[in-house]
Amino acid sequence: MVKGRNLTKAALSVAMCLGAAGSMATSSLAQSAQGHPQWPGKGDLFVGTNYQPVDRSTAQIRQDVAVMKQAGFNVVRMGDLSWDAFEPQEGQFTFEWFDAILDQMQAAGIRVVLDIPGEPAPTWLHKHYPGVDIVDQNGTRLDAATRYWDNISDPDYRRLAKRLADRMLQRYAKHPAVIAIGYDNEIGNGRMSYSAADRDRFVAWLQQRYGTIAALNKAWATQRWSRRINDWSEVDLPYERGPGPNERYLDLRRYWSDDTLGALKDLEAVRKQRAPDVPVLSNLWPYAGQKGFDFLRSWDEISTYGALGFYPGDPADAAVDVMFNRAGHTTPVWFNEFTAGGGGYYGTPGRSRMWAYFGLLYYSQAFLAWTFNSHLGGEEQALFGLIEHDDRPSWKVGEFARIAAEMKTLKTLGFPRTGRPDVAVAYSYQTNWLVNPPPGPNTMQEYYKADYRKQVGNAYFPFFRDNIDAATIDVGHDRLDTYKLIVMPTAYLVDRPTSDAIRAYVKNGGTVVMTGYSAKVDATGKWFDTPLPGGLTDVFGLRTNAFYRADTPLTVQFGTATLTGSDPYYEVLEPSTAQVLARFTNTGNPSPAITVNRYGKGRAIYLATAAQPEFIQPLIRSLYPSIGITPGPVTPDGVSARIVDGRTLYVNTTAKLAKVTINGRRTDALTGRTATGTVDLEPYGVALMR
């Protein structure tokens, strides 16, 4: 019996559903793309735009569709951010206006990604159901002053969002223009909420996860600083912005992740009923800084194609971003929102085209400009689309028309790419939040002085630079047996699914590289009370407990090369069955820097420092011959490439002329031009050499 603040039946029901999220049966998974291989079909490419017809008059819509058709667009994404256009008052649905637009798109040969606009919630929903309002951690109720300030855990919100999805899919699932469905644009963004009902739902989630107060006390280390909990009524929602202990903060993040996934699974249940043969490619935001959610442990339950808003900057970071959103899919990726930089930025002519070709290297299939018409009002009134504020088509229409025309040729030449890479880099939602705690008394900042996402990027960079495909996965979720190499940078939290997966993978012949900062804490976020790396000492054949920071840059003797690092952190390895591959040369007693251990049929390699480029790049490159990895085409800095159906696609991501060395005389399939020995790539230029 719960004392004090009792949980409502609704809160218990919601939490029970959330707690079961990780153990859903196979039948609950999203309809696989393999279930309808004719859609969208190997070899199809799509170019189009995002379109907000709520901003446009009937005459403007007719003109817009004509411009799209003339530009060769074959897809638009519509419906997002416009709940109250479909339901202006509760229970009063207006679809006729959208019917007419869908019909116009169909007549123009333009397919539609139908986005269910569950966020932001309309004003009437907030006014009728105050539980949808956000309450900040200070107890202040917040008006829905900006988009995504909706408490999507509220039962009334969930009920009405499902009803909206049901009505839309009943009406449009079989419309010939509809090619795919999306859910809740940029879900993962928004705010946590701290109402009494939110606290009840959180406690119900904890009850489902831990079962008893004793188990909760153990998981949360409540003996520390006199924080023991005697019954569930004494549990509070941890602060989002500190202070608080890591264990509670980790569960806070897990709870809101499960809550977000619960909202997505609500909509997925509707799709399975109303549109089981239509795939899902939602414009998600799983790594949003406010909330986010654990996409890499749930991608196969909520999506059939990877999709993202692609706002590229650094090419290596852009590659990681795309492959994160592709996750474990073997199907192509959709750029649901696409520009050449930040919001509404298209740069100079040629830049968007370059990024589209860059996307082709990374399994992309569709490029939807954000956005079609420039916005006149609201927070994005200085966001510039393909159409100017006075309705004139800008030069960007011509650039996207060129992309569309070229994609018609490229889809006959092996694009889009499909399949699974041979190597993978691990990313953990749980680790990311643990090593980035909120402000307050917390020694994490004293211990972990790196940047987790940068660590992942450093581990990914050798593959990026060597033009090798690399997946980004959660090791504790995905099948590993198809990968020849797995790299685990800063695998700080290692739970049972992760350790079991690594153990089986190496035992069966796989090769894994783990870096310093890894396997320090268990699933609760507490440090292991066993030798480190926790749960994996026998797999790696060593113990590592002591760590230091060098006063001077670390140096490592690796084969005949002397390497100098950029991060001073290092761990003192104590090998048991592991063999030493390299040693630090300036750490007093030169301790092992890199070890390898034979475990079963495979190898477990440990790098005793952060995933810094100076060390991890030569280490990874040294492994290629023994695991059967062939580097891709050799290119200068700034040029990425892949071989596809016997042709090599080169993409110059820089604003400077690039020269690429080739063998013999070859012809550019895009232009018909020939080159011998060297290909000159103009700034942002591309070439498909055969």
Side-chain angles (χ1 to χ4, degrees):
M1 188 73 178
V2 179
K3 300 178 182 178
R5 290 171 287 185
N6 292 323
L7 299 176
T8 65
K9 290 183 179 180
L12 281 167
S13 176
V14 169
M16 291 288 284
C17 292
L18 292 174
S23 59
M24 297 183 71
T26 303
S27 62
S28 70
L29 300 182
Q31 169 75 33
S32 71
Q34 288 74 21
H36 38 80
Q38 74 282 1
W39 191 101
K42 184 178 180 180
D44 284 339
L45 294 170
F46 297 90
V47 178
T49 188
N50 287 260
Y51 189 49
Q52 283 74 48
V54 293
D55 287 337
R56 312 293 280 168
S57 68
T58 300
Q60 286 175 317
I61 290 170
R62 284 197 298 268
Q63 177 181 315
D64 293 343
V65 174
V67 171
M68 295 178 198
K69 180 178 180 179
Q70 184 176 6
F73 290 179
N74 57 0
V75 68
V76 296
R77 176 170 166 259
M78 296 194 303
D80 58 305
L81 305 170
S82 54
W83 184 338
D84 63 4
F86 295 103
E87 190 179 5
Q89 292 291 338
E90 182 176 358
Q92 298 177 13
F93 293 95
T94 58
F95 292 118
E96 293 76 14
W97 66 277
F98 200 69
D99 296 345
I101 299 169
L102 279 180
D103 291 343
Q104 289 184 62
M105 294 296 179
Q106 171 65 14
I110 299 172
R111 308 299 296 276
V112 174
V113 176
L114 177 67
D115 210 86
I116 307 299
E119 288 197 273
T123 299
W124 62 256
L125 198 153
H126 281 271
K127 299 306 180 184
H128 295 179
Y129 303 99
V132 182
D133 292 343
I134 296 292
V135 176
D136 70 16
Q137 67 181 33
N138 299 315
T140 302
R141 187 192 66 81
L142 302 177
D143 291 328
T146 188
R147 63 178 177 177
Y148 312 137
W149 276 21
D150 310 310
N151 187 354
I152 65 173
S153 67
D154 179 76
D156 288 311
Y157 168 85
R158 292 287 186 86
R159 172 177 59 83
L160 294 170
K162 280 189 70 174
R163 185 178 69 178
L164 174 69
D166 188 67
R167 293 293 293 269
M168 291 184 70
L169 291 182
Q170 281 191 66
R171 193 173 188 98
Y172 297 125
K174 298 186 183 304
H175 193 288
V178 173
I179 193 171
I181 296 167
Y183 303 142
D184 291 3
N185 180 63
E186 294 181 345
I187 191 170
N189 200 0
R191 295 282 301 270
M192 298 181 187
S193 187
Y194 285 80
S195 70
D198 289 308
R199 179 262 168 197
D200 285 351
R201 287 187 284 268
F202 176 64
V203 173
W205 180 88
L206 292 174
Q207 289 179 317
Q208 177 67 18
R209 182 176 183 86
Y210 294 109
T212 67
I213 284 289
L216 178 67
N217 277 311
K218 182 178 180 181
W220 281 10
T222 59
Q223 76 279 2
R224 299 293 304 160
W225 292 11
S226 190
R227 286 187 287 230
R228 192 176 309 278
I229 296 169
N230 294 308
D231 62 64
W232 297 104
S233 69
E234 296 178 359
V235 175
D236 293 310
L237 265 168
Y239 288 129
E240 171 190 358
R241 293 182 296 280
N246 288 359
E247 298 84 1
R248 300 187 189 200
Y249 183 63
L250 177 60
D251 272 342
L252 175 73
R253 290 292 176 179
R254 285 171 171 154
Y255 166 71
W256 284 110
S257 172
D258 280 359
D259 179 71
T260 299
L261 290 168
L264 287 169
K265 290 171 185 175
D266 278 354
L267 303 183
E268 177 63 356
V270 176
R271 182 196 67 84
K272 286 176 181 174
Q273 178 185 5
R274 300 296 185 188
D277 295 324
V278 183
V280 181
L281 42 83
S282 304
N283 196 53
L284 308 173
W285 197 346
Y287 41 80
Q290 296 263 20
K291 283 171 62 178
F293 64 95
D294 199 348
F295 175 65
L296 291 184
R297 281 209 173 178
S298 58
W299 61 268
D300 48 352
E301 298 178 81
I302 58 173
S303 63
T304 46
Y305 284 73
L308 70 153
F310 186 61
Y311 296 87
D314 175 78
D317 291 342
V320 175
D321 194 24
V322 175
M323 296 308 290
F324 176 98
N325 284 275
R326 189 176 192 243
H329 288 295
T330 58
T331 47
V333 176
W334 279 54
F335 291 174
N336 279 358
E337 297 178 7
F338 172 56
T339 71
Y345 176 71
Y346 292 88
T348 54
R351 187 177 168 97
S352 292
R353 176 175 177 263
M354 177 275 290
W355 282 119
Y357 276 88
F358 181 90
L360 289 177
L361 298 177
Y362 286 90
Y363 299 93
S364 62
Q365 178 175 32
F367 313 90
L368 282 69
W370 180 263
T371 184
F372 183 74
N373 52 289
S374 298
H375 297 182
L376 300 179
E379 292 92 334
E380 293 184 337
Q381 59 182 267
L383 192 154
F384 309 111
L386 304 184
I387 300 295
E388 303 287 11
H389 289 91
D390 61 359
D391 283 355
R392 290 183 300 174
S394 73
W395 62 267
K396 292 168 281 189
V397 173
E399 176 152 352
F400 273 79
R402 181 184 182 186
I403 296 170
E406 292 175 347
M407 293 298 163
K408 291 179 181 179
T409 299
L410 288 163
K411 72 179 183 179
T412 69
L413 300 177
F415 298 96
R417 303 181 65 219
T418 58
R420 192 189 305 275
D422 287 333
V423 301
V425 176
Y427 180 95
S428 167
Y429 170 89
Q430 299 177 101
T431 287
N432 178 59
W433 287 115
L434 267 180
V435 298
N436 290 285
N442 195 310
T443 56
M444 178 62 74
Q445 294 93 337
E446 294 299 316
Y447 172 64
Y448 188 73
K449 296 182 179 295
D451 180 308
Y452 178 63
R453 293 197 62 158
K454 185 65 175 176
Q455 292 285 288
V456 174
N458 288 345
Y460 197 96
F461 187 78
F463 307 116
F464 169 80
R465 189 63 195 86
D466 293 338
N467 293 311
I468 295 171
D469 294 323
T472 303
I473 64 170
D474 185 309
V475 167
H477 177 270
D478 288 3
R479 282 186 58 184
L480 306 184
D481 56 1
T482 62
Y483 298 109
K484 296 179 179 179
L485 172 65
I486 293 172
V487 185
M488 301 183 67
T490 305
Y492 182 70
L493 183 148
V494 170
D495 56 13
R496 189 61 178 270
T498 301
S499 61
D500 285 351
I502 288 298
R503 182 178 301 278
Y505 172 73
V506 177
K507 185 177 181 179
N508 292 328
T511 297
V512 64
V513 174
M514 181 180 279
T515 75
Y517 290 121
S518 291
K520 304 307 182 193
V521 304
D522 63 16
T524 68
K526 299 195 304 294
W527 277 60
F528 285 104
D529 59 2
T530 60
L532 303 174
L536 292 169
T537 53
D538 58 331
V539 176
F540 285 88
L542 54 79
R543 179 178 182 269
T544 172
N545 278 53
F547 65 90
Y548 301 97
R549 284 186 170 84
D551 295 329
T552 59
L554 291 169
T555 56
V556 170
Q557 190 65 37
F558 186 54
T560 60
T562 299
L563 311 175
T564 302
S566 54
D567 188 309
Y569 173 86
Y570 71 99
E571 298 172 357
V572 178
L573 304 187
E574 303 173 30
S576 53
T577 56
Q579 302 298 309
V580 177
L581 293 181
R583 291 185 179 273
F584 296 112
T585 60
N586 63 337
T587 57
N589 180 17
S591 59
I594 304 173
T595 61
V596 58
N597 188 55
R598 288 285 178 181
Y599 182 80
K601 299 177 182 178
R603 295 178 297 174
I605 299 167
Y606 199 94
L607 172 63
T609 183
Q612 48 197 295
E614 298 85 356
F615 298 153
I616 199 164
Q617 183 161 300
L619 169 59
I620 287 175
R621 285 176 167 172
S622 74
L623 300 174
Y624 293 162
S626 63
I627 58 178
I629 297 294
T630 302
V634 177
T635 56
D637 287 344
V639 176
S640 294
R642 293 292 190 278
I643 298 174
V644 180
D645 285 1
R647 306 175 187 87
T648 305
L649 176 60
Y650 295 100
V651 179
N652 180 10
T653 64
T654 75
K656 299 178 180 179
L657 178 71
K659 291 182 177 292
V660 180
T661 301
I662 59 173
N663 293 325
R665 183 180 179 86
R666 303 182 69 181
T667 302
D668 185 352
L670 299 174
T671 64
R673 297 174 184 171
T674 60
T676 303
T678 302
V679 175
D680 290 340
L681 295 176
E682 298 176 352
Y684 302 135
V686 302
L688 181 61
M689 306 304 294
R690 64 186 180 211

